[in-house]
Amino acid sequence: MAQHVKLFTPGPGDVGDEVLDAMAQPALRHYGPDWMVIHNEVMALLHQVYKTQNDIFMVPGPASAILDMSIGSLVDTGQKIIIGNNGFFGERLNDIARGYGIQIIPFTAPLGEQLDPEKLKFILSENPDVKAVAFVHHETSTTVLNPLRELAEVIHQAGKISIVDTVSSMASVPLEVDDWNIDVCVTAANKCLESVPGIGFVSVSPRAWQQVDNQTGIQHGFYLNLKTWRKYATEWGSWHPTPVTMPTSVILGLRASMLRILNGGLEAHYAKYKNANRIVRRGLSNLGFEMFIPESIASPMATAVKARPEFEIAEMSTWLLNERHMAIGGGLGNLSGKIFRVGHLGLSAERDYLIEFLFSVEEFLRTKGLPVPVGSSLAGLE
Ligand SMILES: *Cc1c(COP(=O)(O)O)cnc(C)c1O
């Protein structure tokens, strides 16, 4: 096997042995009584993570596919959607809507700042005919955590459907799909659920179903269509609950990681990210780095750090990769070369990974001739 690269990226992360062991099993059929036991158990675990009674679907593919399915199923070509956009993944929601010929009403904030619920209230009052509002909870490209609860409340008060990308926030911070009236909520296995990529999830509220059923425009295909998934879940639900072959090994891995997380408790899982985030923020600050955004609006699952004048970010990431077999995340889009991002998923939030990471950055700084005493990153962290 090639040299293992330790992942300090904001997704995917290095998964635990419980996931690897669960996946190293003979292939299963994605239907029949044996599979139904696993399917139903995973569904129950997902409902616990989402904190919802709404329908949830498990859909093979990347998170973007499920965001595509959600927007395409709720809004017809020619209709209007408000899209919150303060970064790379907000822009992706725009691309999805544009692909369907949906009219986009922009709701923006500068990179590194939060979406403002008061501004959304105003935009909604000016556009009473929109069918939905879509936005990203944790904008992973900047690590800004948008005020989900407040935004969802504004959308609910206006009687509109919320479609929320919680891909990199679900299970890292408190999130209550039912209590906060989130209509359509999308996430995936390979961020804070700490399993491998290959499957994502969407919850659909009764109000969202009403809107799906009232849509009269063309159906956007078969696979990325919520109606297809509901049909199989209801009509074939007792033995073959999905329309397609499922990545059964990936689902076994997910079950193992969710069992681990829920057995420890979601609160402890949130605390793990907070702790890793605190250590990396403090550790890198000790070494003279500046953080990209203030802690008060930052997600705990990743840390975004500014470039500094002594070297290019690419030089540091290449050194870490080649010399220490560690991968960090770069800046996306306009932030390329301006920031780097350190993810805290999976093993990267563990003590040995964190210390090795900080010591490796110290070493890199010394190769640049900077006076960094060994262990100085850990000052105040003992
Ligand atoms: C990772 C991520 C995505 C994209 O996930 P894919 O599985 O690559 O499609 C979408 N939104 C956010 C906020 C993400 O962090």
Side-chain angles (χ1 to χ4, degrees):
M1 210 167 90
Q3 168 81 44
H4 170 63
V5 172
K6 289 186 173 158
L7 300 182
F8 291 87
T9 37
D14 269 344
V15 299
D17 287 340
E18 83 283 3
V19 172
L20 299 179
D21 290 344
M23 290 195 306
Q25 304 291 332
L28 296 176
R29 287 165 299 162
H30 60 285
Y31 52 84
D34 292 348
W35 180 250
M36 284 312 299
V37 172
I38 295 168
H39 174 88
N40 289 334
E41 184 188 351
V42 172
M43 280 301 185
L45 296 171
L46 283 168
H47 279 90
Q48 281 184 55
V49 171
Y50 267 74
K51 303 194 176 168
T52 188
Q53 310 280 326
N54 290 342
D55 293 335
I56 295 182
F57 301 94
M58 242 194 307
V59 182
S64 302
I66 300 149
L67 293 165
D68 194 314
M69 164 157 120
S70 303
I71 292 176
S73 299
L74 267 302
V75 189
D76 284 346
T77 300
Q79 293 181 333
K80 285 188 193 170
I81 190 168
I82 295 174
I83 292 191
N85 181 0
N86 56 343
F88 182 87
F89 290 106
E91 190 53 39
R92 174 158 302 178
L93 298 178
N94 273 333
D95 288 339
I96 292 170
R98 223 176 271 127
Y100 286 121
I102 294 167
Q103 280 189 62
I104 297 163
I105 314 291
F107 163 38
T108 59
L111 290 180
E113 293 180 25
Q114 287 180 311
L115 295 171
D116 174 8
E118 287 304 317
K119 184 169 174 182
L120 176 59
K121 210 181 267 182
F122 176 76
I123 296 172
L124 275 162
S125 71
E126 298 271 285
N127 295 279
D129 55 342
V130 299
K131 295 306 266 185
V133 181
F135 63 94
V136 177
H137 182 203
H138 170 216
E139 178 48 78
T140 324
S141 65
T142 59
T143 72
V144 168
L145 201 55
N146 284 311
L148 168 56
R149 186 179 191 166
E150 292 76 10
L151 291 166
E153 177 64 19
V154 167
I155 298 163
H156 189 70
Q157 290 297 328
K160 303 299 179 189
I161 300 295
S162 52
I163 301 174
V164 188
D165 170 347
T166 66
V167 176
S168 62
S169 58
M170 179 73 77
S172 70
V173 287
L175 202 167
E176 308 266 347
V177 167
D178 284 358
D179 282 3
W180 299 358
N181 291 306
I182 300 166
D183 291 299
V184 177
C185 187
V186 176
T187 196
N190 53 298
K191 298 272 167 79
C192 307
L193 293 177
E194 303 195 333
S195 193
V196 293
I199 189 131
F201 324 100
V202 56
S203 69
V204 185
S205 73
R207 288 176 34 192
W209 278 129
Q210 247 172 31
Q211 179 155 317
V212 168
D213 289 330
N214 289 338
Q215 294 297 83
T216 55
I218 54 157
Q219 295 284 301
H220 293 303
F222 166 81
Y223 185 61
L224 295 184
N225 186 329
L226 280 172
K227 282 185 180 170
T228 304
W229 289 78
R230 178 177 59 182
K231 179 182 158 83
Y232 280 81
T234 50
E235 294 176 18
W236 295 35
S238 62
W239 72 285
H240 190 304
T242 53
V244 298
T245 309
M246 299 299 274
T248 49
S249 313
V250 167
I251 292 170
L252 292 176
L254 167 75
R255 178 176 68 165
S257 63
M258 282 201 297
L259 281 172
R260 173 181 58 77
I261 292 166
L262 290 168
N263 284 340
L266 280 172
E267 295 296 332
H269 198 55
Y270 307 153
K272 167 183 115 151
Y273 291 120
K274 261 204 162 138
N275 184 53
N277 178 243
R278 180 184 68 89
I279 289 171
V280 170
R281 277 185 93 89
R282 179 72 180 265
L284 293 179
S285 300
N286 284 344
L287 299 178
F289 287 94
E290 257 185 75
M291 300 302 111
F292 180 56
I293 57 169
E295 197 168 357
S296 56
I297 61 166
S299 153
M301 74 77 94
T303 302
V305 187
K306 287 186 192 171
R308 51 196 276 184
E310 299 94 337
F311 52 87
E312 301 281 328
I313 287 172
E315 203 182 335
M316 183 175 80
S317 19
T318 305
W319 189 91
L320 286 172
L321 186 62
N322 292 342
E323 304 299 325
R324 293 295 173 266
H325 309 291
M326 290 178 179
I328 57 172
L332 295 172
N334 291 340
L335 291 171
S336 175
K338 299 196 174 117
I339 63 168
F340 66 90
R341 294 170 305 141
V342 184
H344 310 312
L345 297 175
L347 301 181
S348 70
E350 308 275 338
R351 184 189 164 87
D352 54 335
Y353 266 56
L354 287 166
I355 292 178
E356 196 183 340
F357 171 71
L358 289 173
F359 276 39
S360 299
V361 174
E362 285 184 7
E363 270 187 272
F364 169 75
L365 294 178
R366 283 192 290 273
T367 70
K368 302 307 293 175
L370 294 165
V372 176
V374 174
S376 52
S377 59
L378 298 184
L381 287 167
E382 301 87 350

